[in-house]
Structure formats: structure tokens, C-alpha cells
Amino acid sequence: MTELKKKEAECLEVPEERGNATPPGCKRTWDKLLCWPEADAGETLALPCPNILFQFMKEPAGIVKRNCTKKGWSDTFPPYDIACPVEDEIPLEEQSYFSTIKIIYTVGYSVSITSLIIAVTVLIAFRRLRCPRNYIHVQLFFTFILKAIAIFIKDAVLFQEEDIDHCSFSTTECKISVVFCHYFMMTNFMWLLVEALYLNCLLLSSLSHGRRYFWWLVLFGWGFPTLFTLIWILAKFYFEDTACWDVNQGSPYWWLIKGPIIISVGVNFVLFINIIRILLKKLDPRQINFNNSSQYRRLSRSTLLLIPLFGTHYIVFNFLPEYTSLGVRLYLELCIGSFQGFIVAVLYCFLNQEVQTEIGRRWHGNRYGLMPVWRRTRWTVPSSSGVKMTTSVC
């Protein structure tokens, strides 16, 4: 669609030497596929099929003709569907392939939404679990939930009827659905980055100072995607208002969405390496005197697992053209990616020792001799002045 818009702009651009003078015969015109130059009355022009149709054509490219009459241009003959026949039916193998992918990611997103809602309820309901670290988990859970819902809504709007012509289909509803899908996709990546940033803050400074960064990270996690999405909306509205804004191939404005995501994945990978370096140093008994180092291990375990899980394949594919290895992309981003929310809920909530202990205490009570829940682990961290500071973390 972007290529056609460019060709239309070039076609309708009035040559400088002619100015506003009206040419005799038929004027230059654009028929949505080809640019027909000026012609004299009685002249017949013949043009080859549009380049954009070559990859879809069943047969070698044909010729399309038009007559310039005293009343203006005639209709094309033979018609485009005869002169330039395209493969308009999807092969059964591809239909089966796409149907399978849709079933898998529908199940994946449904499972993710259900597990994430349970996880959010658990982290919010229990007062002892409320702390900046878990608040960040909750924000990440919400981005996964909203992204999955946005994908379901976009599918319902764009594919509500099988015979929709997606080249010309353009409604306000479908554009809004695409906008929200892109927005929540970007917020999801930003909050994965926030998880890594917050852990770095905790590891690089005292944990009491780490709490100070919480609201700045919240502002970044929601504000940064909002800013770039708004700029993308304005760019699409004024310069590339075609179809449902869902065709990104060859569009320079797509980098307003894709660029921040690529950067966040790259930064996440660097932070992952840095966290490993810090932990290897801090968990060395010769470097730091922990009363109990298990809290640091629990604090970092889930993030260490998730940073490579949600970034490695994007580092490879985000630097390739949009439609390279499309089959592999679909499996990674839709099939495997749809279960990411479920994995997040399991690692950040259901397997969390404090969550399990709190649920066990509430379920069984203290009558069964369970250990006291949620003891804030305290340890001493040597400060730059050599004085040991005692701190705690949720």
C-alpha cells in the first residue's frame, strides 16, 4: 500500500514546465494501480501490469490498454483481472497452517489471561505481598493481559468476515484496534525492561534507595510507549492513512513502534549480562557479608530466567526485514509468545516462596505449625564509607 501511495503521488504531481495549463485530449490520471500519461484524443495507450502484482500473478505479465476519447479515458481492456490474473485463493495447506496457528495462540492467550488475573488478584489481595517489587510485577501482568485482549479485539474487527478486501478495508474501528494492539505490545516490552532496570537499581545501590526509583520506572513504563504511539498515530493520519494501518512493509513510520522495542530488547540483554556480573560479585562471601543471601537469589531468579526468555529471538528477528522468515516469526511471536503471560505468572507469582507461604498461612492458619509468614530478610551491605548499612527488601 505504501508503494502504491508513492506512485500515486508521483503520477499526480504536475510537471513544472506545464504549470496549470490544461493539456489537450486526456489528462494524466491514476486508476489506483497504474499511472496513465497524457494522450491525444483517439490515441490508445498500452501499459504492462503493475509491478506490485507480479508476485501474485498466475501467468506472465500481460498488457492493459485504454483509449483516449473526446469524452475522456475509456475503461481498461482487457480488465485487470483478465490481463493480470492473480492467485486470489489461499492453498489448502496454507489455510490449515494459519488455522492451526490461530488455534494455538487463542488457547495460549486465553490460558495466559486466566493465570495472570489470578496472579494479580493474589498479589493485590494479600497485604503482606504489597511492595514496590510486586507492584512492578502487577504492572507487567496487566500489560500481558491488555496485549492479549487487544489482539483478540483486533482479530475480531479485521477478520469479522471472510470476504473482506483488506487492501481497501478501512474503518475507524479497525484503526483503533490496531493502535491499541501496537500500544500494549510496546508497553509489554517496556515493562519487561522495567523489571530488569529495577533489579539493577536494587543490586547497584542499597535496597532502600531502590524504592526511590519506583515511580520514575512507572512513568517510563507507561509514558514512553504513550509518547511514541501518539507520534505514530499522527504520522499515519497525516502521511500514510491507508487501509487499517496494519500494513507496515516499507513504511518508515513503523520504526516509531519497532525502534523503541528493538532498543528495549537490546538494553534488556545488556542488563541481563550486567546482572549476572553483579550477582557473581555480590554473592561472593569475600565481597559481602550476608546474614542470609537467599533473598538476593530469590529476588533475581525470576528476572534472570525471563530476560533471555523474552528477548533472545527478538534480537535476531528485529534487525531483519519485516517479512523475512515469516513462518518462523509466526510460531515464535504468536504461538510461543502467547504463552509468555502464563510463564510470567508461574515464575513471578505461583512459584514465589513468599506467595506460597502466605497462601498456605491463609488457607491452613497457624494451627498446623506453619512458620511465620513473610519475614523481611535483613542483611548488612558495606557502604562506600566502610560503614555497614542494614536494609530489607519485599
Side-chain angles (χ1 to χ4, degrees):
M1 295 301 294
T2 304
E3 183 180 347
L4 289 177
K5 292 292 288 185
K6 290 180 180 178
K7 290 185 178 296
E8 180 183 8
E10 294 173 359
C11 178
L12 300 180
E13 185 177 354
V14 180
E16 296 181 0
E17 62 273 10
R18 186 174 293 276
N20 295 326
T22 302
C26 300
K27 297 185 296 183
R28 179 188 301 189
T29 186
W30 172 259
D31 68 353
K32 296 184 179 180
L33 286 174
L34 287 175
C35 180
W36 297 89
E38 299 167 359
D40 297 327
E43 188 176 357
T44 300
L45 297 185
L47 296 177
C49 292
N51 294 337
I52 196 171
L53 298 179
F54 283 2
Q55 57 182 323
F56 306 107
M57 292 177 60
K58 303 177 184 177
E59 303 172 359
I63 298 295
V64 183
K65 299 179 181 180
R66 292 185 81 174
N67 288 330
C68 177
T69 67
K70 293 181 179 180
K71 295 182 180 180
W73 287 107
S74 69
D75 293 334
T76 57
F77 64 92
Y80 280 111
D81 58 343
I82 296 177
C84 314
V86 297
E87 188 70 49
D88 55 356
E89 295 184 0
I90 302 177
L92 292 177
E93 292 182 359
E94 290 190 17
Q95 290 183 13
S96 176
Y97 170 76
F98 289 121
S99 298
T100 302
I101 286 182
K102 185 175 182 179
I103 292 173
I104 293 175
Y105 79 71
T106 300
V107 172
Y109 282 125
S110 300
V111 171
S112 294
I113 290 175
T114 304
S115 59
L116 287 165
I117 290 176
I118 296 173
V120 169
T121 303
V122 169
L123 293 180
I124 293 178
F126 296 111
R127 183 177 57 84
R128 294 174 183 266
L129 299 179
R130 298 172 189 171
C131 64
R133 178 68 173 165
N134 285 337
Y135 289 154
I136 289 179
H137 292 343
V138 169
Q139 306 276 348
L140 178 63
F141 295 171
F142 272 125
T143 63
F144 276 107
I145 293 172
L146 293 172
K147 184 180 77 169
I149 294 175
I151 288 175
F152 284 148
I153 293 175
K154 187 186 76 168
D155 285 353
V157 173
L158 292 181
F159 306 107
Q160 52 187 318
E161 297 178 8
E162 294 184 358
D163 57 346
I164 289 180
D165 180 10
H166 291 279
C167 292
S168 59
F169 182 65
S170 179
T171 63
T172 302
E173 291 80 7
C174 76
K175 292 176 182 177
I176 292 175
S177 67
V178 171
V179 167
F180 277 105
C181 189
H182 290 337
Y183 172 69
F184 290 124
M185 177 179 64
M186 191 188 299
T187 56
N188 183 239
F189 278 97
M190 292 305 116
W191 276 98
L192 286 170
L193 177 59
V194 166
E195 286 279 357
L197 287 171
Y198 188 72
L199 182 57
N200 268 263
C201 292
L202 297 184
L203 294 177
L204 290 172
S205 61
S206 68
L207 297 176
S208 58
H209 290 169
R211 296 168 182 267
R212 192 173 57 186
Y213 305 121
F214 172 73
W215 289 111
W216 288 107
L217 293 174
V218 171
L219 180 63
F220 169 79
W222 293 106
F224 192 80
T226 301
L227 174 63
F228 276 85
T229 303
L230 288 175
I231 296 175
W232 179 76
I233 292 173
L234 294 174
K236 295 289 286 187
F237 182 78
Y238 286 105
F239 305 112
E240 201 177 79
D241 190 10
T242 59
C244 280
W245 296 358
D246 58 330
V247 180
N248 303 309
Q249 187 176 15
S251 173
Y253 308 112
W254 176 235
W255 284 98
L256 290 169
I257 302 295
K258 184 177 179 179
I261 291 177
I262 292 177
I263 293 174
S264 71
V265 171
V267 174
N268 231 356
F269 186 76
V270 173
L271 292 175
F272 168 63
I273 301 300
N274 189 51
I275 290 173
I276 293 179
R277 182 188 63 83
I278 295 173
L279 288 177
L280 289 176
K281 182 177 179 180
K282 283 187 175 289
L283 296 179
D284 187 349
R286 296 171 298 180
Q287 300 290 335
I288 187 167
N289 180 25
F290 281 93
N291 291 333
N292 185 357
S293 63
S294 61
Q295 184 71 11
Y296 249 132
R297 297 179 187 274
R298 288 198 303 270
L299 184 68
S300 57
R301 184 181 300 131
S302 57
T303 303
L304 288 174
L305 289 171
L306 285 174
I307 289 177
L309 180 63
F310 295 110
T312 305
H313 67 278
Y314 288 105
I315 290 178
V316 176
F317 283 110
N318 277 331
F319 290 98
L320 295 175
E322 191 69 26
Y323 291 90
T324 302
S325 304
L326 186 59
V328 180
R329 279 178 182 270
L330 289 176
Y331 268 115
L332 288 175
E333 296 183 10
L334 292 180
C335 297
I336 298 178
S338 63
F339 288 94
Q340 290 178 347
F342 170 72
I343 299 173
V344 168
V346 171
L347 292 177
Y348 276 177
C349 182
F350 303 143
L351 294 183
N352 183 283
Q353 184 175 346
E354 287 78 15
V355 173
Q356 293 176 351
T357 305
E358 180 67 11
I359 292 176
R361 187 183 73 88
R362 290 296 183 90
W363 185 264
H364 299 290
N366 293 325
R367 294 175 300 171
Y368 297 95
L370 292 177
M371 294 178 60
V373 182
W374 200 270
R375 295 179 299 176
R376 287 182 174 266
T377 305
R378 304 173 68 85
W379 57 74
T380 57
V381 181
S383 65
S384 58
S385 60
V387 179
K388 295 181 178 179
M389 299 180 296
T390 304
T391 184
S392 62
V393 66
C394 175

